[in-house]
Amino acid sequence: MRVARILVIVFLLSLPLAFGFACDDDDDDDAPAAADDDDNNDDDDNDDSPAPLSFCAVDESEIDAILDRLTLRQKVAQMYYTAVNVFPWFDLPEAAYMVGDVQVGGIHEVVALTLGFWPSWTVQNTNKLQNIALNSDAGIPLFIGIDQEGGIPQMMTGLTGGTDTPGNMGLGATFSPDATRLAYDLMARELHETGINLSLAPVLGVMTDHEEASMYTRCFGENTEWVSQHAAAAVEATQRNLVVATPKHFPGQTAAPGDEHYVRAVSEHSEAEIREIYLPPFVAAIEAGADMIMPTHARYAAWEDEYPVTLSSRMLTELLRDELGFEGVIITDDLNMDAVAGIDWGELPDVLAIQAGADIIIDIFEDFEARDAGKAGDYPSTIAEQIDYVVGAVGDGRLTEARIDQSVRRILNLKMKYCLFENPFRTVEDVPERVHRPEDAELSLALHRQAITLLRDEDALLPLDVDDRVFVITTGPLVTQMYPEATWPQMTIKTLLGPMQDIDPDVTGMIYGGTPVGFVADMLVDAAAASGADLLVIGTYNAYFDEVQQDLVNRLLALGLPTVMVAQAMPYDLMVFPDVGTYVASYSNRGLALQVTAEVLYGLSEPGGRLPVALPGMYEIGWSAALD
């Protein structure tokens, strides 16, 4: 299994070399004024989504009976959520072992490991996993989950048979919670139809610092009140489709600079600031009925001198449960991250998290712990061994079986409420009629038209004319940084060049993958200089944080051609290229976002979005050159 994962990762990371250079790609707390702008809410009253599905009745006596028949080890196993390989073309024993023998309670759908590359394949995989679980000694259906945040960090995408959506930052640019409701309803319906019953979304960070490099387009924006409204809409829309929503990362990860995958992030904000700015979206999510919440691995100095939120009873039990009244399931983020796994806490983090109040332990890639040798202590690293360790902690009094029962009761309650005991299976035959339907794509296109934002057009270059000779230089379909400092590959179907060529076949250009250095950068600049173009279009991807990309763009700008710049992730790129006269923010580099961006460039669609974050010293939240 480990070898298979390594091969998949190596394959994905090597892909940029395959298209390093290619031509002609085919393929403040006051509400902003935008809230009342009719142009921004064209679809608000057109909710054509089907009626919500009904939750199932929860039978406490049946839960009592299940708890009575489960062994302690089976109970603890229900508290573990991991990933397995279910490739269909060869039979690996891992799924049968982890689900059937270890009897974990949840499985994470990982592209190329458990998520299929088309919907019917995904249904086959989820059905297989549920069948193994129900035929195990425990006989309890699985939580099957996915990171379905929308936009850039969206796992079921156009590439894997789903429908791309604008993502949180794009939805924030609509200033319409109804747009968020439509997008999350679409995503959750597609998850439900493929047997996925848990979405590790939405992210509820409030983007208060443009230098904080871990959440970015995963956030709705920087205005607490607006983020709270989007939070409630996302939770309601997800759970109406019998998919558990998981607001994250409590109490607001953007308050703690740094990426917990690699560093021990700490928030130095006062308790008053956390409560005023970062906590309200989670309060809104709880009031909207959120049944699961994920804490961050960051530490909040106002509450804790030692532990991150994941391991803190002050944060999980006293604040989240006792004060805020959250009665649902608390699920940790992956405990393999350096912020937890890279430190010796004097105890297995799993035990500390359960003591603090967590109900489900996420351990996606066992044996992939990011620990430096000897740093985290000598603790078990496989799921089976970790379960045995927790059972041992009950045996010697560090945990009680009553505490385990408390979490397992919450888990069983949720599985029963979301009808997993009644029927966790989906039919394969008519999946194409239920997932990524033409009307789904049309809805998402409409949402993207509400999101795309024109920040400036001082040179009056828009709309482009098909008689203009246009040369495009943009990132390719695979980027190795989903957001700044991350190392996860993120692949799309199209690049900006393709949709522009769909409108004007005479458009030429080049794309690049990986880091545009050396001869690759020289080739791109030379090609632009020799193109004879009247106008240059440059697609950037978080160039604000990428000095190599900045160097390339500055060399292109030095050619002196009239230039349109498109930020395909965060809009902060304009801050490092302040002299660019025409600037569009798409908030995403996925296919539908770039299709609408091309339409905007050629005047075929109006850019309906407004900035959901401020560009310090340039533009305030709510700004749009098209709407102001």
Side-chain angles (χ1 to χ4, degrees):
M1 174 56 192
R2 184 170 182 174
V3 172
R5 283 176 178 150
I6 291 173
L7 289 175
V8 169
I9 293 170
V10 169
F11 168 72
L12 288 172
L13 291 176
S14 68
L15 282 176
L17 298 178
F19 58 87
F21 34 87
C23 296
D24 300 329
D25 176 32
D26 292 325
D27 292 48
D28 73 48
D29 292 336
D30 293 329
D36 299 319
D37 194 309
D38 292 338
D39 291 336
N40 245 32
N41 297 284
D42 293 341
D43 295 295
D44 288 2
D45 299 321
N46 298 323
D47 188 348
D48 296 326
S49 57
L53 301 175
S54 298
F55 291 119
C56 289
V58 175
D59 187 338
E60 293 293 346
S61 63
E62 183 177 350
I63 291 177
D64 289 338
I66 294 172
L67 286 170
D68 286 342
R69 69 173 171 80
L70 292 179
T71 67
L72 174 60
R73 194 181 190 287
Q74 288 172 331
K75 292 175 185 177
V76 173
Q78 279 295 302
M79 300 171 67
Y80 276 80
Y81 175 96
T82 188
V84 295
N85 192 334
V86 287
F87 279 143
W89 53 80
F90 60 92
D91 184 25
L92 290 177
E94 186 199 18
Y97 168 71
M98 191 65 71
V99 178
D101 296 336
V102 179
Q103 301 175 63
V104 296
I107 293 295
H108 191 69
E109 293 275 303
V110 182
V111 176
L113 296 177
T114 38
L115 180 70
F117 282 104
W118 50 87
S120 58
W121 177 354
T122 298
V123 173
Q124 291 169 355
N125 288 351
T126 57
N127 284 348
K128 175 187 286 188
L129 292 169
Q130 293 289 13
N131 187 60
I132 296 171
L134 292 174
N135 284 285
S136 70
D137 290 340
I140 297 174
L142 292 166
F143 280 134
I144 299 180
I146 196 170
D147 287 296
Q148 193 71 352
E149 299 176 18
I152 294 173
Q154 179 175 337
M155 192 172 291
M156 181 178 285
T157 68
L159 187 66
T160 53
T163 304
D164 295 334
T165 60
N168 286 358
M169 186 61 69
L171 293 170
T174 70
F175 287 93
S176 168
D178 284 331
T180 292
R181 185 171 290 105
L182 289 168
Y184 272 82
D185 183 81
L186 191 164
M187 288 190 290
R189 184 177 51 75
E190 293 189 335
L191 296 185
H192 177 78
E193 295 290 359
T194 51
I196 299 170
N197 50 58
L198 171 62
S199 179
L200 297 180
V203 168
L204 300 187
V206 180
M207 182 55 67
T208 55
D209 182 0
H210 67 281
E211 296 286 354
E212 207 288 306
S214 64
M215 290 294 104
Y216 283 84
T217 59
R218 304 170 75 186
C219 299
F220 288 108
E222 71 173 65
N223 179 279
T224 298
E225 176 58 32
W226 278 105
V227 173
S228 299
Q229 292 185 43
H230 289 292
V235 168
E236 292 167 354
T238 300
Q239 296 188 168
R240 78 195 296 271
N241 289 280
L242 293 184
V243 174
V244 182
T246 312
K248 60 184 184 183
H249 307 78
F250 177 84
Q253 190 163 317
T254 48
D259 186 344
E260 287 80 359
H261 290 88
Y262 313 107
V263 300
R264 188 180 182 186
V266 177
S267 172
E268 300 291 351
H269 288 276
S270 68
E271 180 177 339
E273 289 173 316
I274 298 297
R275 289 181 178 278
E276 179 182 358
I277 299 171
Y278 300 97
L279 201 55
F282 290 93
V283 174
I286 292 170
E287 292 175 348
D291 281 317
M292 187 174 285
I293 285 180
M294 177 187 290
T296 176
H297 288 328
R299 178 174 67 85
Y300 286 70
W303 279 270
E304 278 284 358
D305 295 327
E306 180 179 7
Y307 290 123
V309 178
T310 309
L311 310 181
S312 169
S313 61
R314 292 179 180 175
M315 302 293 283
L316 298 188
T317 297
E318 295 178 19
L319 177 59
L320 181 54
R321 288 211 187 280
D322 296 344
E323 181 181 336
L324 300 184
F326 179 65
E327 299 178 349
V329 170
I330 298 175
I331 184 170
T332 72
D333 208 339
D334 197 333
L335 293 191
N336 290 319
M337 296 182 189
D338 253 350
V340 172
I343 299 167
D344 187 354
W345 302 100
E347 176 59 279
L348 182 71
D350 310 42
V351 171
L352 294 176
I354 296 169
Q355 289 174 340
D359 302 303
I360 295 179
I361 303 296
I362 292 187
D363 191 329
I364 301 297
F365 294 122
E366 66 169 11
D367 292 331
F368 261 48
E369 281 74 9
R371 302 171 177 172
D372 294 331
K375 196 174 185 180
D378 185 19
Y379 297 107
S381 61
T382 69
I383 302 296
E385 291 173 332
Q386 288 165 238
I387 291 171
D388 287 337
Y389 188 97
V390 173
V391 171
V394 175
D396 64 20
R398 284 171 289 160
L399 291 168
T400 66
E401 188 163 1
R403 172 67 191 87
I404 300 299
D405 285 352
Q406 185 182 50
S407 287
V408 179
R409 180 177 293 278
R410 290 190 186 107
I411 292 166
L412 295 175
N413 183 297
L414 212 53
K415 289 183 175 181
M416 198 170 287
K417 176 180 178 179
Y418 282 78
C419 304
L420 301 188
F421 282 93
E422 290 200 1
N423 182 19
F425 301 106
R426 298 293 175 266
T427 58
V428 176
E429 291 72 23
D430 59 345
V431 174
E433 298 175 13
R434 309 193 312 267
V435 177
H436 194 50
R437 305 169 302 174
E439 55 265 42
D440 297 329
E442 285 303 315
L443 169 60
S444 187
L445 285 170
L447 294 174
H448 280 92
R449 291 181 184 113
Q450 287 183 263
I452 305 299
T453 304
L454 178 64
L455 297 183
R456 68 165 58 152
D457 187 20
E458 295 175 354
D459 298 333
L461 298 180
L462 300 183
L464 302 181
D465 193 312
V466 293
D467 292 329
D468 292 334
R469 291 174 296 177
V470 177
F471 193 80
V472 180
I473 289 185
T474 186
T475 52
L478 185 142
V479 292
T480 55
Q481 291 187 337
M482 186 169 72
Y483 52 82
E485 298 181 5
T487 55
W488 307 331
Q490 180 254 334
M491 194 165 187
T492 64
I493 294 177
K494 298 180 179 181
T495 72
L496 181 60
L497 180 57
M500 292 185 65
Q501 289 175 329
D502 291 339
I503 297 172
D504 180 3
D506 292 331
V507 169
T508 58
M510 298 185 73
I511 63 175
Y512 63 89
T515 304
V517 295
F519 77 95
V520 174
D522 293 341
M523 182 176 292
L524 295 168
V525 175
D526 291 345
S531 66
D534 301 312
L535 183 141
L536 183 63
V537 175
I538 302 175
T540 63
Y541 189 93
N542 286 330
Y544 181 89
F545 295 93
D546 186 347
E547 292 183 0
V548 173
Q549 194 177 165
Q550 290 175 25
D551 181 68
L552 170 63
V553 172
N554 283 325
R555 291 177 64 186
L556 292 170
L557 295 176
L559 296 176
L561 292 171
T563 299
V564 175
M565 187 172 291
V566 177
Q568 299 169 105
M570 289 301 289
Y572 297 138
D573 292 0
L574 180 57
M575 296 170 63
V576 290
F577 309 113
D579 295 330
V580 173
T582 302
Y583 195 88
V584 176
S586 68
Y587 308 106
S588 171
N589 67 337
R590 295 205 177 275
L592 295 183
L594 298 182
Q595 178 179 333
V596 173
T597 299
E599 293 174 359
V600 167
L601 295 182
Y602 281 95
L604 303 179
S605 290
E606 294 297 321
R610 295 177 180 271
L611 269 178
V613 294
L615 303 189
M618 301 185 75
Y619 299 114
E620 295 299 319
I621 181 174
W623 167 256
S624 164
L627 302 176
D628 288 312

